[in-house]
Amino acid sequence: MKKYKLFSAISLVAALLLSACSQDELAEQGTTLPEGEYPLQISGVSIAAEASEQPWTRISESTDGQSSVWQTGDEFYVKFEGSDEVGTYRITDAAAGTVEAVTPIYWKNTQPANIIAWYAKPKPDDTNNGRIFLNNQEDNGLVYVLRAEQTATYGGTPVTLKFKHQLAKVRVIIKGTVDVIEVELVNLNYNLPYYCDVKEGEIVNIGSLDDCHMHRTDYKGIGTCWEANLPPSSDYQIEGFRVTTSDYRYTYFCEIEPYITLEAGKVHTVTITVNFEGTQIIDLSTLTAPYEIDDSGTYYATGTGQYGIRVTNGNPNIYLEDAQISVSGGNAINITSGNPTIHVKGNDNEVSSGNGAGIYVAENSSVTITGRSREDVLTARGGNGGNGIGGYTTISGHTATSTNSGNISVSNVTVYAYGSDYNADVHAPGIGGAGSASCGTITIDNATVYAYGTGESYYNVTGAAIGGGINADTKGSYSTITIENGSEVYVQRGNFRSDYIGHSGSTNNPATATDGIDAMVDETSTVTKLN
């Protein structure tokens, strides 16, 4: 599927300021002015555009990938049409949009003039026809060519220079179970542009080659994607993409229909889903009952649904990408037996229950929650005495019974885990055991975790952020808690009666961990208390 979006215009406010100029001179068109006395000054800039994080370039993308932004120190060029004199202007404060003249240009007479301004990245090789190479944006960063034209009146009101992108952007978003490490643009006729020649912000010539390596970047709300900026031309189209995976260094060709005809100033977005052979697709939006897994296969879950996933056997790999599971009762992901690995992809994944655990792992079972990096994010919420990750509580009349839970491992990912309570007496931490039940080992390895216990300052019974729960005055138990390999853990307990990491507590049976932390924390990791 292709989506097009216009690049935002890059605006430069050019104030044409005069010094020691008489009214007669202003009134008379075409009057010759003294050489070097009346500079064209650029008083301010504003820009919204695309992103490159390469240190040798200056212009960059906004964090959400919706626009481009200037950086302090960016320089652009300005001239009067028909003149050989070229001025250079530098942005002194990108946030304020202030500009200084490095080398100003000067009005020669009072005749109205057409102003031309341009910016290119990288700087064109003027010894070689103003050439810019396009084929290796993977390593060298994104290429930009911008140009603006505006008629200016000597002594008139300030003008606005509206820069337009001369290139088109191709953005590829990869989804699926396969970890892709490289994306190339492909044209079956082997004539994608290898370089373009640029003169004063205009593309005057395009060379050709057989492929183009795309630049990998990350945006808020989009996640990891690959981009390349290329000149529009009727001589070629984007016909597909070559993706390379990290797992076995396999390379796949993905042809698209219809082909993409590039248009200057537009973002052409393509989403490609790449799955391992045999992957079972779980469209959460179509479920009418919990999806059951009883083998060691590979599963890819996406979409939004009110029915969860149940694991009853095996060691399956379950991928969550843009997955939103919200169940009113029971556990959102219910591991009754087996040892699944949950792979988190992207930053928009949530599993929650109004009356159970976000992720329940049964006693004698285990769950591993992992990602490609800490840019991958999972939120897990429990309800009515259920953990975000761990155990849950069932209610019969006024009796609350909590269920023992197994081993939990969190690695190479960011997790937000929210515990819950029932009638303020039964507490389940963000990660760990529910109520008076037991919990197995908890390991946080090279991960970022935010964990939240329950209870307010005036409650007699409150929950820890990570560890064992409590039912009235009866504490739950837990095995070892390990935090290692550069992990960052942020914890909020219910109140001072419970540990941050360790036991939940009450007035009659308070937690006792030294400094509120009962965990093995290596020297590379940190624990930060949020309350």
Side-chain angles (χ1 to χ4, degrees), residues 499-501 511-519 529:
D499 293 325
Y500 290 95
I501 301 177
T512 57
T514 302
D515 200 30
I517 298 176
D518 181 19
K529 301 171 183 178

Side-chain angles (χ1 to χ4, degrees), residues 282-437:
I282 306 174
D283 184 348
L284 297 168
S285 66
T286 65
L287 297 182
T288 57
Y291 188 97
E292 186 166 321
I293 298 173
D294 62 357
D295 57 25
S296 297
T298 300
Y299 296 83
Y300 176 72
T302 189
T304 299
Q306 58 183 333
Y307 294 95
I309 297 172
R310 185 182 183 200
V311 179
T312 59
N313 190 35
N315 303 309
N317 286 285
I318 303 171
Y319 289 79
L320 301 179
E321 185 165 27
D322 302 327
Q324 303 284 323
I325 303 173
S326 179
V327 300
S328 58
N331 306 310
I333 296 181
N334 191 19
I335 304 166
T336 61
S337 183
N339 304 285
T341 298
I342 297 175
H343 301 265
V344 179
K345 299 193 72 175
N347 56 15
D348 190 25
N349 300 282
E350 182 168 340
V351 291
S352 63
S353 173
N355 188 18
I359 300 175
Y360 166 64
V361 52
E363 189 175 23
N364 300 319
S365 291
S366 68
V367 65
T368 299
I369 302 168
T370 189
R372 298 162 299 178
S373 74
R374 300 191 204 185
E375 296 296 321
D376 295 316
V377 181
L378 173 68
T379 299
R381 299 178 187 270
N384 257 4
N387 298 99
I389 305 169
Y392 68 97
T393 300
T394 55
I395 311 298
S396 177
H398 297 287
T399 301
T401 303
S402 300
T403 304
N404 294 339
S405 55
N407 299 328
I408 300 166
S409 177
V410 178
S411 67
N412 202 39
V413 71
T414 294
V415 168
Y416 291 81
Y418 296 83
S420 65
D421 63 12
Y422 170 71
N423 280 351
D425 287 329
V426 180
H427 290 265
I431 300 175
S436 57

Side-chain angles (χ1 to χ4, degrees), residues 490-505:
Y490 301 85
V491 286
Q492 179 175 302
R493 62 184 178 181
N495 66 27
F496 63 92
R497 296 178 178 86
S498 62
D499 293 325
Y500 290 95
I501 301 177
H503 282 291
S504 298

Side-chain angles (χ1 to χ4, degrees), residues 84-338:
D84 294 330
E85 182 184 14
V86 176
T88 303
Y89 294 80
R90 178 188 298 130
I91 298 170
T92 57
D93 186 333
T98 55
V99 175
E100 66 179 1
V102 179
T103 306
I105 58 173
Y106 295 88
W107 287 93
K108 305 298 184 183
N109 55 56
T110 58
Q111 191 76 19
N114 189 43
I115 296 173
I116 300 173
W118 66 92
Y119 174 91
K121 184 189 79 173
K123 185 177 180 180
D125 182 0
D126 292 331
T127 64
N128 190 19
N129 300 317
R131 184 153 297 174
I132 295 177
F133 289 95
L134 306 162
N135 62 314
N136 192 18
Q137 297 183 52
E138 175 187 30
D139 295 328
N140 296 336
L142 295 176
V143 173
Y144 293 89
V145 180
L146 312 172
R147 179 180 168 89
E149 291 189 51
Q150 179 66 45
T151 299
T153 302
Y154 174 77
T157 58
V159 298
T160 299
L161 293 177
K162 294 185 178 179
F163 278 67
K164 295 182 179 179
H165 288 273
Q166 305 302 298
L167 304 179
K169 170 166 287 188
V170 181
R171 174 179 292 163
V172 177
I173 299 172
I174 301 291
K175 296 185 179 296
T177 58
V178 174
D179 184 24
V180 172
I181 61 171
E182 183 178 288
V183 179
E184 299 172 68
L185 290 163
V186 175
N187 179 285
L188 300 179
N189 294 317
Y190 304 104
N191 64 342
L192 285 180
Y194 171 54
Y195 63 83
C196 64
D197 297 334
V198 178
K199 182 178 180 180
E200 296 178 358
E202 287 188 305
I203 299 168
V204 296
N205 182 48
I206 300 175
S208 63
L209 188 68
D210 59 342
D211 56 23
C212 176
H213 295 266
M214 303 184 77
H215 178 66
R216 179 173 180 166
T217 190
D218 288 274
Y219 296 123
K220 293 179 180 178
I222 297 176
T224 300
C225 60
W226 282 259
E227 296 181 331
N229 291 344
L230 298 174
S233 173
S234 59
D235 294 335
Y236 68 90
Q237 293 177 309
I238 306 302
E239 299 175 354
F241 304 89
R242 187 178 295 112
V243 299
T244 302
T245 72
S246 64
D247 301 86
Y248 303 102
R249 298 295 298 180
Y250 287 162
T251 299
Y252 301 89
F253 173 68
C254 304
E255 187 174 1
I256 60 173
E257 289 187 3
Y259 297 155
I260 298 174
T261 300
L262 299 180
E263 298 182 52
K266 286 190 176 181
V267 181
H268 303 264
T269 300
V270 177
T271 299
I272 300 174
T273 300
V274 186
N275 284 315
F276 291 111
E277 185 176 357
T279 298
Q280 300 296 308
I281 308 300
I282 306 174
D283 184 348
L284 297 168
S285 66
T286 65
L287 297 182
T288 57
Y291 188 97
E292 186 166 321
I293 298 173
D294 62 357
D295 57 25
S296 297
T298 300
Y299 296 83
Y300 176 72
T302 189
T304 299
Q306 58 183 333
Y307 294 95
I309 297 172
R310 185 182 183 200
V311 179
T312 59
N313 190 35
N315 303 309
N317 286 285
I318 303 171
Y319 289 79
L320 301 179
E321 185 165 27
D322 302 327
Q324 303 284 323
I325 303 173
S326 179
V327 300
S328 58
N331 306 310
I333 296 181
N334 191 19
I335 304 166
T336 61
S337 183

Side-chain angles (χ1 to χ4, degrees), residues 5 59 65 68 135 232 246 256 267 338 404 446 453 467 478 507 509 511:
K5 186 186 70 177
I59 200 171
S68 303
N135 62 314
S246 64
I256 60 173
V267 181
N404 294 339
N446 185 33
Y478 56 91
T507 301
N509 195 1

